[in-house]
Amino acid sequence: MSLWVDKYRPNSFSKIDYHKEQGQRLKNLVQHGDFPHLLFYGPSGAGKKTRIMILLRELYGSGVEKLRMEHMNFQTPSNKKIEIMTVASNYHIEINASDAGIYDRIVVMELIKNAAQTHQLDANEQREFKVILLTEVDKLTKDAQQALRRTMEKYIATCRLILCANSISQVIPAIRSRCLSIRVPSPSNVEIVSVLLNICKKEGLTIPMELATRIAEKSEGNLRRAILTCEACKVNQYPFDKNQKIVEPDWQNYICETANVILKEQTPQNLLNVRSRLYELLCHGIPTELIFKYLLKQLLTKCDMAVKREVIQVASDFEHSLHRGSKVIFHLEAFVAKFMAIYLQYMEDTVRAV
Amino acid sequence: MDYYETDFLTPDEEFELRYADEMEVLHEMEQDEPSSSHRSTSKKILNFDSQPMSNGSSTPLSNEKRKENKDELTASEKLSPLPLADVDKPSTFRSNGERLSFSQEPGCSYSNKRSVDDLFGDIDDIDFDIDLPITSKRARVEDIIVQNEAVDKDMLAISRILEKRREIQTAQNNVLDVSYANIPELSKTEITLTRRVPKYAFVTLRNGKNEKFYAKLHSDEALNVKIISVSEACKSFRLLSVPFENILSEANAILDQKFAAIESGAKSTEVSSHLKSDVTELWVQKYKPSSYLDLLSDESTNRTLLKWMKLWDKAVFGRELKIVSKHKPEREESRFTKKNFQELDEELDDSGLPKFKTVLLCGPPGLGKTTLAHLIAQHAGYNPVEMNASDDRSPEIFKQQLEAATQMKAVLGKNPKPNCLIIDEIDGAPAPSIEVLVKFAKGELKTKGKKKAEKNIGKLKRPIICICNDVYVPALRALRQIAFVIRFPPTSLSRLASRLMEIARAEHLTTDSGAMMKLCEKANNDIRACLSTMYCLKDQPLRLSSIEKVDIGNKDMQKGLFAVWQDIFQLSSYHNTMQIILKSVQGNGDYDRLAQGVYENYLDIRISDGSMKSISKGLSWFCFTDKLKTHIGRTQIYTLMSYLPYAFVMWGFLFSNYQRNKINYPSMMYELNARRTKYFESVQEILKGMDPKIRAHCHYEQLLLDSLPLFMFILNPEFKAINIQLFTNSERDTLRQLVSTMIDYNLNFVQERTQSGNYEFNIDPNIDEVVEFPDVPKTKHLTYSLKMMISREIEQEKLRRLEYSMHKFHVNDDQPSLVSHYDELPADIPSNFDEVPEVLTETELPKSQNHLQKLTPKIIKKSTKPLIITNSSRNCCIRTVLFRNGAINLNVIFLTFSTPRL
């Protein structure tokens, strides 16, 4: 536990740095020893998981921190064996069902039935229910979500579900209505800065306010990344300089560079070049929505207001079609080609106007 | 004979032949004459075995024949007293003789005579003096005929016959006139037609002038006898326009010519001979090649197979192989850039058998594989035995058949040939059966004897030819490795077309070579399909247009992927691009791979698109296909599949040009997936080994996107490359933090050997390659020595943590500690890092100088208070300790165990 991210993770509601009011409400929720199914949602790096763990600690005491990793095996009807990694304590089990891909339905069904059909051994000393923590619910297939909705109600006596998702738009309404939804918004830049200052103080370092602000801005509301970036900056150069370079993940640089390649030249030859870069990004497992996001962001900096609207529309169209298809590279390249065509047209028009 | 003559010679017994009967006989004679002469000249191969009556002839005739043959022996030089015998000779001779003996043996007449003898038995009892009466008898027959035909019309016919006969006789330069002279004499002796009313039975006849004639009426049986005699006389009276010697020499000449023709490779004669075959026969069967030279398939393929068959000669026939000079094949090889089969290894193994025991012929249907196999087997002197899909091919039966075909041979028949097994359609056979075959070919097959004694069947001693359409059927995998695989190249268009022309000529179809070419093209060079189509269209003249128009015989062609891509990218000169692309795409059917191929190749092909508009349009079609396909996959509405090929038409319009483009096989998707899986595995490896407390807050995507890229910086702090002992406090602090982080995230440095032979330390799992991108400036890495040092520290720290947990376990257990020198370890692990070096120095540095030190056995402190293992659970604990601590504590624990016994 030597990374700052892990080291300075709060472990009680009193220690959390932001959303204190929400923390207090959560504390009140579990005070009486019972709670409904919960659905935590919010952007990555906002502190959903931290809050869930604090909640469990409030509920079961420090025993919940004695974690172990377990491999669970499931068998599909077609006799395919799936192995899923779970993190569990005596009181809860955490699983990411979307690891099983299209077989997530089986995982959800089996797991919940298994967990729910066994009662706690000593119900007097502990709570009479276990907690099942399902992460990345928004990535579950519709089938799995449908399977979840009935079991959630059926086994409410013996288990509580805590669902965790980045966005609830992908969660079916039936599940949303069965849960108490708790949104964990990402911290504001000010909050991030204060967290960074706090950590540096504990580490015995002095960080210039400007640097902290810049890191907070770069991290886009992702506290985890902010802290990691801060640490990376520290390793890179200490004592801090307020104008020092802030490290960024390679993939992000690469996407921006790709956008620059697109802007430089709009020829079929260059499109081939862009394609190989897109392939590179895809095989590193960078999610397509991020590729679209950063590509568009970078491309728009060089676009006139009139073109911006069109480009954004095109990007959203292709991102939509990407989700309806299966070969993402087609849609990415189609977007790039379309942008090139629009950009060329725009350049031509401006030249003609002059 | 007596009966015959008396019956014939007494004129007053019976009335003469009736008018109609007489005419019949005459007709017979007339017909017989030209047809026989026609046959002997026009036919190349004539089968006389089935000649009617030759065996069933009555005694007088057979005698006559025998005599005639006998005569021929002697009277070839001196003139025979029998003029007709000469004429008769060729037909009787041929009826018994074989073609080969005819041409080869000089003493043919002798051999023929013998065969005649065989036929008719002993001839010693035959009196040769009856020559004259017989001839006169025959003359008399004619005489009767002459006399009977009083009617003008009939007389005319008779006179014509006589004239003809005379002609023949003069031409023959014979002494027939001797017997001919008898005719007028005989005619006086018998009157069968009178103007007056006769005494004997008669019929009244009238001629054109209303004059009455009275014809003698014979009794029925006498008439029959006479008819038979006349007809038989006519039989033996087969008239030839040319003397036998001439025919013989002519036939010999034709035969010579034919052999010469075969040697020179001309094949056209064969087709004409087929003309005579049954009309109802299918053309495919009818025009099947009947000799090696008729084969249409690729010449080199044929030769390779034949060569392989000949390799068996030594083992099967005991003939020595002719070793072909190596020079020639090499020259041939250079001509063919692309080879369809591997080089045939002509070496024989120790037992004189060819290296490849079996041959696997493979190729699409309709190329003539089966025909080739049969012909080659026959050509090489084998008796082809075929097994095909219609036979039961379960392993047991298959084995039986194999053994039967390869180890036995026909005992009946004149010239038993060794068998050659042809296994047709082997790709449909069950895998166990093919295993049997493979084992058999390898000589490993064993049969279980009744008394459990296994008897080896022995080596395969006969060639086996296997035929299949698809060589890549999984069941054939084993066979493919041991067999000599010959891929059948498609028949050449021109050869096939010219053969079709020959057939068309033979079937009297009007056509031209262009139409035939089109037909071949349409059927994709499938001979069978071509012939079927031709058969179907045989009633109309075959022209190019009619073949194009007709909608039968269109073989559903499956083009290869590259051919389809070429169709898309190369703008053809035909007007209907859309139809061409649609057809070839639909014919192939693998839309997925085709689309991928178009996608990966279009940018290389289409270079000039200034506005990027058409590329953008083409790409939106890619998106459309992708969406459509995904939709079909999700909803399973397969009717939508029919819209997929239209995208290819669009791409064809957008991306094609007139050049021939180089097309690469699409492999990017595969590479992408392979790399993605690799990186994914690396990250998964980290997740598996992580500290659970951290794992609870960490997920794949966060790790990949946030943590790992920044690790690149965090894990590469600046260190001075000096000994760890010399580190300052802050440096030690950094090191401690680094080591701890790496353990938390299951990372380590491992030594790896690079391709250049150097060693380097790489991070494991290899997150460097997961997060690094090309073209992005790389962060500097630690030096080799530092990595090595960190790696060592990580190992030590891991051990320390383990031992600490062990220690805690003992403390909790409240047991006398077995590992005493770890007692000074502080309770809190993270903080103990700095003290470890001291611990090490304490334990490692001896009190005295090294050379002065004495090894003393370790004192067992707890000897007074021995550890008594009372229950199994404690035993279990100690064992666990032993197991985990490894070898270091082994001694101690053994001693501890031994104390209770003391």
Side-chain angles (χ1 to χ4, degrees):
Chain A
M1 301 286 267
S2 54
L3 277 180
W4 295 353
V5 189
D6 306 317
K7 209 162 152 187
Y8 299 107
R9 197 188 295 279
N11 60 1
S12 76
F13 283 118
S14 54
K15 285 183 190 164
I16 57 173
D17 298 288
Y18 54 93
H19 306 328
K20 290 194 172 163
E21 203 177 325
Q22 186 191 48
Q24 197 54 48
R25 253 183 252 128
L26 284 173
K27 196 176 179 177
N28 291 339
L29 181 72
V30 293
Q31 222 168 20
H32 305 294
D34 201 1
F35 64 91
H37 299 308
L38 296 179
L39 170 59
F40 280 85
Y41 66 99
S44 176
K48 302 183 290 294
K49 212 53 184 302
T50 311
R51 274 153 189 79
I52 293 168
M53 289 314 285
I54 294 171
L55 194 78
L56 288 175
R57 196 186 149 92
E58 287 285 321
L59 207 59
Y60 294 106
S62 62
V64 89
E65 280 171 354
K66 276 193 176 172
L67 294 167
R68 58 182 185 273
M69 303 230 285
E70 277 173 3
H71 291 276
M72 293 185 90
N73 288 305
F74 299 96
Q75 197 168 24
T76 65
S78 53
N79 279 335
K80 192 175 182 280
K81 290 215 169 77
I82 319 165
E83 200 187 88
I84 293 279
M85 206 161 39
T86 61
V87 181
S89 72
N90 286 335
Y91 311 105
H92 85 289
I93 183 165
E94 180 195 331
I95 197 159
N96 183 2
S98 61
D99 284 349
I102 56 165
Y103 299 110
D104 52 1
R105 189 176 67 91
I106 293 130
V107 174
V108 166
M109 282 161 57
E110 294 285 313
L111 176 88
I112 296 176
K113 274 183 193 158
N114 275 346
Q117 280 168 353
T118 53
H119 288 263
Q120 291 284 42
L121 277 176
D122 193 356
N124 295 332
E125 216 171 273
Q126 302 149 348
R127 312 281 163 197
E128 52 199 18
F129 54 82
K130 280 200 268 190
V131 170
I132 296 171
L133 176 53
L134 279 173
T135 55
E136 295 184 32
V137 183
D138 46 350
K139 297 223 171 102
L140 287 182
T141 59
K142 292 281 175 292
D143 274 352
Q145 295 191 29
Q146 297 289 357
L148 200 57
R149 54 188 276 194
R150 185 70 192 125
T151 39
M152 274 170 96
E153 285 179 341
K154 204 171 171 189
Y155 298 111
I156 196 146
T158 49
C159 77
R160 297 284 181 279
L161 283 169
I162 299 181
L163 311 178
C164 184
N166 277 348
S167 143
I168 49 166
S169 65
Q170 296 284 327
V171 181
I172 57 168
I175 289 183
R176 268 188 265 165
S177 95
R178 282 169 173 77
C179 297
L180 176 66
S181 302
I182 296 160
R183 177 163 181 268
V184 183
S186 55
S188 67
N189 283 353
V190 181
E191 282 161 343
I192 292 176
V193 168
S194 76
V195 170
L196 289 180
L197 289 174
N198 228 336
I199 287 171
C200 285
K201 204 169 112 195
K202 280 178 194 161
E203 280 286 313
L205 310 166
T206 51
I207 181 165
M209 193 62 191
E210 289 88 344
L211 185 66
T213 318
R214 274 172 62 217
I215 291 174
E217 277 163 7
K218 283 270 181 190
S219 61
E220 293 163 345
N222 186 336
L223 187 62
R224 182 203 337 266
R225 191 191 290 179
I227 298 171
L228 278 166
T229 314
C230 186
E231 194 174 352
C233 285
K234 186 247 158 187
V235 171
N236 240 7
Q237 186 189 355
Y238 188 78
F240 287 120
D241 178 46
K242 60 181 176 183
N243 293 323
Q244 84 176 83
K245 186 176 160 265
I246 294 170
V247 291
E248 276 187 327
D250 262 6
W251 56 267
Q252 207 170 320
N253 292 333
Y254 196 75
I255 295 175
C256 293
E257 195 50 46
T258 307
N260 291 337
V261 170
I262 296 168
L263 285 167
K264 205 167 74 190
E265 202 184 325
Q266 291 82 33
T267 58
Q269 219 54 52
N270 202 35
L271 186 61
L272 201 59
N273 194 8
V274 172
R275 179 197 287 178
S276 70
R277 295 182 75 98
L278 291 175
Y279 263 130
E280 194 69 37
L281 283 166
L282 287 176
C283 76
H284 277 87
I286 309 298
T288 47
E289 60 262 26
L290 286 181
I291 299 178
F292 260 115
K293 182 179 157 192
Y294 286 103
L295 214 55
L296 186 64
K297 208 170 157 190
Q298 191 68 19
L299 289 175
L300 286 179
T301 57
K302 296 285 170 63
C303 283
D304 197 55
M305 210 53 200
V307 189
K308 263 183 188 165
R309 187 200 60 79
E310 201 181 347
V311 171
I312 291 169
Q313 192 205 332
V314 165
S316 62
D317 280 352
F318 281 112
E319 200 186 340
H320 178 238
S321 85
L322 179 146
H323 283 292
R324 295 189 38 218
S326 51
K327 282 191 178 159
V328 287
I329 187 78
F330 286 173
H331 307 271
L332 282 170
E333 189 171 313
F335 165 64
V336 173
K338 188 83 190 166
F339 173 79
M340 281 180 171
I342 292 170
Y343 194 74
L344 278 174
Q345 185 69 43
Y346 162 67
M347 298 289 267
E348 203 179 291
D349 288 347
T350 43
V351 167
R352 202 175 293 155
V354 168
Chain B
M1 188 164 281
D2 278 346
Y3 162 75
Y4 180 86
E5 272 180 31
T6 48
D7 183 42
F8 184 70
L9 284 173
T10 48
D12 43 335
E13 267 182 11
E14 307 275 357
F15 196 67
E16 278 305 331
L17 295 165
R18 262 198 324 183
Y19 164 73
D21 287 339
E22 201 66 275
M23 275 313 285
E24 220 173 80
V25 174
L26 281 171
H27 265 290
E28 216 171 78
M29 285 172 74
E30 262 185 334
Q31 280 174 347
D32 208 8
E33 203 174 40
S35 77
S36 73
S37 70
H38 165 75
R39 267 193 220 169
S40 62
T41 50
S42 70
K43 281 196 183 174
K44 303 286 180 301
I45 308 158
L46 209 51
N47 193 1
F48 284 93
D49 288 341
S50 58
Q51 206 177 52
M53 303 283 282
S54 68
N55 284 342
S57 55
S58 61
T59 27
L61 184 66
S62 64
N63 280 346
E64 194 178 291
K65 271 189 186 172
R66 245 178 286 161
K67 170 211 60 182
E68 281 161 4
N69 287 332
K70 204 72 183 175
D71 274 347
E72 187 57 34
L73 270 175
T74 51
S76 53
E77 284 143 44
K78 60 174 183 179
L79 281 173
S80 162
L82 281 170
L84 293 176
D86 258 350
V87 186
D88 201 69
K89 182 74 193 174
S91 65
T92 48
F93 172 75
R94 283 231 223 124
S95 69
N96 299 312
E98 281 178 17
R99 211 180 65 171
L100 272 174
S101 66
F102 193 72
S103 61
Q104 287 169 351
E105 288 188 37
C108 53
S109 51
Y110 178 72
S111 76
N112 176 50
K113 186 210 114 208
R114 221 169 43 180
S115 66
V116 172
D117 285 355
D118 292 344
L119 256 171
F120 298 107
D122 198 3
I123 52 161
D124 285 352
D125 57 335
I126 291 172
D127 189 7
F128 291 108
D129 296 339
I130 55 167
D131 290 355
L132 260 168
I134 289 167
T135 41
S136 62
K137 172 201 77 184
R138 191 174 299 147
R140 257 175 269 141
V141 174
E142 282 143 25
D143 184 45
I144 295 159
I145 295 160
V146 174
Q147 298 224 340
N148 281 349
E149 308 315 309
V151 189
D152 287 349
K153 196 168 63 181
D154 305 335
M155 290 299 272
L156 205 75
I158 291 165
S159 69
R160 212 169 56 220
I161 294 164
L162 287 173
E163 211 172 63
K164 268 231 169 82
R165 200 163 292 163
R166 216 171 290 127
E167 268 172 31
I168 295 161
Q169 280 158 357
T170 48
Q172 280 171 321
N173 192 16
N174 261 332
V175 284
L176 195 66
D177 44 342
V178 178
S179 58
Y180 202 71
N182 292 341
I183 295 171
E185 177 204 342
L186 283 162
S187 62
K188 283 170 207 154
T189 59
E190 191 180 62
I191 299 145
T192 50
L193 200 69
T194 54
R195 280 179 185 270
R196 278 173 298 163
V197 179
K199 292 170 190 159
Y200 43 77
F202 66 92
V203 284
T204 322
L205 304 166
R206 280 173 197 279
N207 69 356
K209 293 167 192 168
N210 221 5
E211 288 170 311
K212 270 190 182 174
F213 293 95
Y214 302 96
K216 187 178 177 180
L217 200 62
H218 281 274
S219 76
D220 273 3
E221 53 182 328
L223 203 61
N224 279 344
V225 169
K226 198 167 284 177
I227 287 166
I228 289 167
S229 74
V230 167
S231 66
E232 276 168 6
C234 291
K235 270 279 166 331
S236 63
F237 204 72
R238 186 151 299 149
L239 301 171
L240 290 175
S241 54
V242 265
F244 167 66
E245 282 84 0
N246 296 1
I247 295 172
L248 179 61
S249 63
E250 212 176 293
N252 275 334
I254 290 165
L255 277 172
D256 287 346
Q257 218 178 353
K258 200 178 165 188
F259 282 126
I262 286 173
E263 261 148 29
S264 67
K267 289 177 274 294
S268 57
T269 48
E270 202 57 39
V271 175
S272 67
S273 76
H274 286 302
L275 258 176
K276 266 81 202 174
S277 48
D278 195 1
V279 192
T280 54
E281 214 178 355
L282 275 177
W283 286 4
V284 178
Q285 213 56 39
K286 195 167 161 187
Y287 297 106
K288 198 175 180 171
S290 57
S291 79
Y292 177 76
L293 289 154
D294 290 345
L295 287 170
L296 262 181
S297 42
D298 182 61
E299 182 57 36
S300 61
T301 315
N302 300 348
R303 204 172 305 152
T304 314
L305 187 62
L306 187 60
K307 215 185 264 174
W308 176 79
M309 283 300 269
K310 287 289 182 193
L311 288 179
W312 284 90
D313 275 6
K314 194 182 174 211
V316 178
F317 299 107
R319 268 177 277 179
E320 270 308 312
L321 278 178
K322 275 188 273 177
I323 302 299
V324 193
S325 63
K326 288 281 175 197
H327 179 68
K328 204 181 163 190
E330 273 170 32
R331 191 175 55 81
E332 271 184 18
E333 264 171 49
S334 58
R335 268 197 288 153
F336 304 108
T337 47
K338 191 184 163 194
K339 279 201 292 181
N340 290 306
F341 34 80
Q342 76 228 59
E343 190 58 35
L344 177 58
D345 194 347
E346 289 182 32
E347 294 294 309
L348 300 183
D349 62 8
D350 307 333
S351 46
L353 297 166
K355 212 180 138 211
F356 294 107
K357 302 287 186 297
T358 55
V359 146
L360 190 58
L361 277 177
C362 51
L367 294 184
K369 296 180 296 296
T370 313
T371 314
L372 173 72
H374 276 265
L375 264 179
I376 294 269
Q378 270 163 0
H379 190 86
Y382 292 89
N383 173 36
V385 177
E386 187 180 319
M387 277 166 79
N388 56 29
S390 62
D391 301 321
D392 188 3
R393 293 199 283 198
S394 64
E396 290 307 304
I397 292 167
F398 196 77
K399 200 162 123 187
Q400 271 177 20
Q401 290 244 16
L402 267 181
E403 286 166 25
T406 54
Q407 287 170 344
M408 299 172 194
K409 75 178 189 182
V411 285
L412 297 171
K414 274 182 192 167
N415 188 16
K417 292 174 180 174
N419 287 334
C420 167
L421 185 60
I422 296 172
I423 307 173
D424 208 347
E425 295 145 18
I426 198 172
D427 39 358
S433 302
I434 291 173
E435 259 170 50
V436 169
L437 174 64
V438 171
K439 274 189 189 160
F440 190 48
K442 283 181 178 167
E444 290 166 0
L445 192 65
K446 289 181 179 165
T447 42
K448 282 194 187 101
K450 278 177 189 170
K451 293 173 182 175
K452 290 177 190 170
E454 290 204 337
K455 181 188 73 176
N456 203 328
I457 287 182
K459 282 198 168 169
L460 176 66
K461 295 221 176 67
R462 295 286 179 268
I464 296 180
I465 302 175
C466 305
I467 302 171
C468 65
N469 285 342
D470 182 9
V471 75
Y472 295 111
V473 170
L476 287 181
R477 198 173 292 142
L479 184 62
R480 222 163 45 219
Q481 281 158 4
I482 61 150
F484 176 57
V485 181
I486 298 179
R487 272 165 230 285
F488 233 73
T491 319
S492 84
L493 186 67
S494 55
R495 273 183 86 173
L496 181 55
S498 69
R499 172 64 60 89
L500 287 179
M501 277 301 283
E502 274 172 36
I503 293 169
R505 223 176 291 132
E507 292 289 340
H508 307 295
L509 297 177
T510 43
T511 180
D512 51 68
S513 55
M516 289 297 109
M517 291 282 228
K518 180 74 198 169
L519 186 63
C520 300
E521 199 184 303
K522 207 168 180 181
N524 203 15
N525 287 3
D526 185 336
I527 303 164
R528 257 194 296 249
C530 285
L531 282 176
S532 311
T533 316
M534 256 172 84
Y535 191 80
C536 187
L537 302 172
K538 66 179 172 174
D539 294 331
Q540 65 197 71
L542 281 169
R543 295 280 169 237
L544 192 65
S545 54
S546 62
I547 287 182
E548 249 174 20
K549 248 186 284 169
V550 81
D551 55 350
I552 47 174
N554 242 340
K555 211 176 163 192
D556 194 10
M557 271 190 277
Q558 191 174 10
K559 281 189 178 178
L561 288 166
F562 281 93
V564 178
W565 287 324
Q566 206 59 255
D567 279 348
I568 294 166
F569 285 126
Q570 196 169 17
L571 209 56
S572 62
S573 44
Y574 299 115
H575 45 277
N576 207 344
T577 319
M578 176 169 163
Q579 282 303 327
I580 291 169
I581 294 177
L582 263 187
K583 210 169 175 186
S584 58
V585 168
Q586 282 166 340
N588 186 285
D590 192 353
Y591 301 139
D592 218 3
R593 196 164 303 167
L594 281 173
Q596 191 66 27
V598 173
Y599 172 70
E600 289 191 15
N601 282 297
Y602 83 95
L603 281 177
D604 294 324
I605 280 147
R606 177 94 182 173
I607 309 293
S608 55
D609 179 20
S611 65
M612 299 289 291
K613 286 224 170 83
S614 66
I615 285 184
S616 165
K617 200 170 177 187
L619 276 167
S620 63
W621 274 91
F622 277 111
C623 295
F624 167 73
T625 15
D626 184 36
K627 275 191 278 184
L628 187 58
K629 216 174 295 161
T630 314
H631 186 72
I632 293 168
R634 272 184 198 150
T635 57
Q636 315 217 327
I637 306 174
Y638 289 102
T639 44
L640 294 176
M641 285 282 268
S642 53
Y643 293 98
L644 285 172
Y646 292 92
F648 292 90
V649 177
M650 203 61 205
W651 295 324
F653 282 126
L654 288 170
F655 303 139
S656 61
N657 57 13
Y658 282 101
Q659 294 150 16
R660 192 171 174 80
N661 305 293
K662 189 178 168 286
I663 290 165
N664 297 316
Y665 191 81
S667 58
M668 274 152 124
M669 215 58 192
Y670 173 76
E671 284 165 25
L672 172 80
N673 281 335
R675 280 176 68 195
R676 182 149 54 186
T677 329
K678 192 181 162 198
Y679 298 154
F680 179 76
E681 293 295 326
S682 295
V683 179
Q684 284 296 326
E685 190 63 35
I686 295 174
L687 280 172
K688 268 181 205 161
M690 259 164 125
D691 191 330
K693 270 182 195 161
I694 298 166
R695 173 70 178 80
H697 294 276
C698 223
H699 288 292
Y700 172 77
E701 215 163 84
Q702 297 156 4
L703 200 62
L704 182 75
L705 295 176
D706 297 335
S707 308
L708 292 183
L710 292 167
F711 276 11
M712 297 307 299
F713 303 96
I714 295 169
L715 296 184
N716 290 317
E718 273 195 59
F719 277 124
K720 279 180 246 132
I722 48 167
N723 195 320
I724 190 168
Q725 312 292 351
L726 301 171
F727 272 13
T728 59
N729 268 347
S730 71
E731 275 171 340
R732 201 171 286 176
D733 223 30
T734 325
L735 180 65
R736 192 192 66 200
Q737 205 164 358
L738 176 67
V739 168
S740 162
T741 308
M742 284 183 75
I743 292 173
D744 283 350
Y745 284 89
N746 192 30
L747 297 168
N748 201 350
F749 290 109
V750 289
Q751 199 180 32
E752 273 171 22
R753 201 189 158 99
T754 58
Q755 281 174 334
S756 52
N758 300 326
Y759 287 98
E760 62 178 28
F761 270 98
N762 283 328
I763 198 154
D764 175 66
N766 199 341
I767 58 163
D768 282 356
E769 63 175 18
V770 176
V771 293
E772 271 178 6
F773 283 88
D775 308 333
V776 172
K778 290 189 174 53
T779 50
K780 56 181 193 301
H781 287 275
L782 294 171
T783 59
Y784 181 86
S785 55
L786 275 171
K787 280 184 181 172
M788 193 161 71
M789 185 191 75
I790 292 167
S791 164
R792 202 180 58 223
E793 287 299 325
I794 289 170
E795 291 304 323
Q796 280 182 0
E797 177 68 18
K798 274 185 186 167
L799 206 69
R800 212 172 288 130
R801 285 193 186 188
L802 192 74
E803 279 165 4
Y804 169 67
S805 64
M806 214 61 63
H807 174 75
K808 234 167 66 175
F809 165 77
H810 285 298
V811 168
N812 291 349
D813 227 22
D814 217 12
Q815 278 289 318
S817 175
L818 298 172
V819 278
S820 57
H821 61 276
Y822 283 109
D823 280 355
E824 60 259 41
L825 272 174
D828 192 19
I829 265 282
S831 62
N832 84 334
F833 191 87
D834 293 1
E835 293 151 46
V836 171
E838 280 109 64
V839 173
L840 286 174
T841 46
E842 248 182 47
T843 47
E844 277 170 12
L845 281 178
K847 299 280 189 288
S848 53
Q849 292 291 314
N850 195 27
H851 62 280
L852 294 174
Q853 201 185 9
K854 275 182 190 168
L855 284 172
T856 48
K858 194 167 259 178
I859 300 149
I860 301 154
K861 284 198 285 184
K862 308 293 188 286
S863 59
T864 50
K865 197 181 162 190
L867 176 81
I868 299 157
I869 300 159
T870 46
N871 57 20
S872 58
S873 73
R874 188 148 301 164
N875 190 359
C876 192
C877 297
I878 291 167
R879 262 165 211 264
T880 326
V881 173
L882 176 120
F883 211 75
R884 290 209 184 153
N885 276 0
I888 309 163
N889 301 325
L890 211 63
N891 292 339
V892 185
I893 290 175
F894 264 122
L895 287 172
T896 324
F897 270 111
S898 57
T899 37
R901 235 184 284 150
L902 293 167

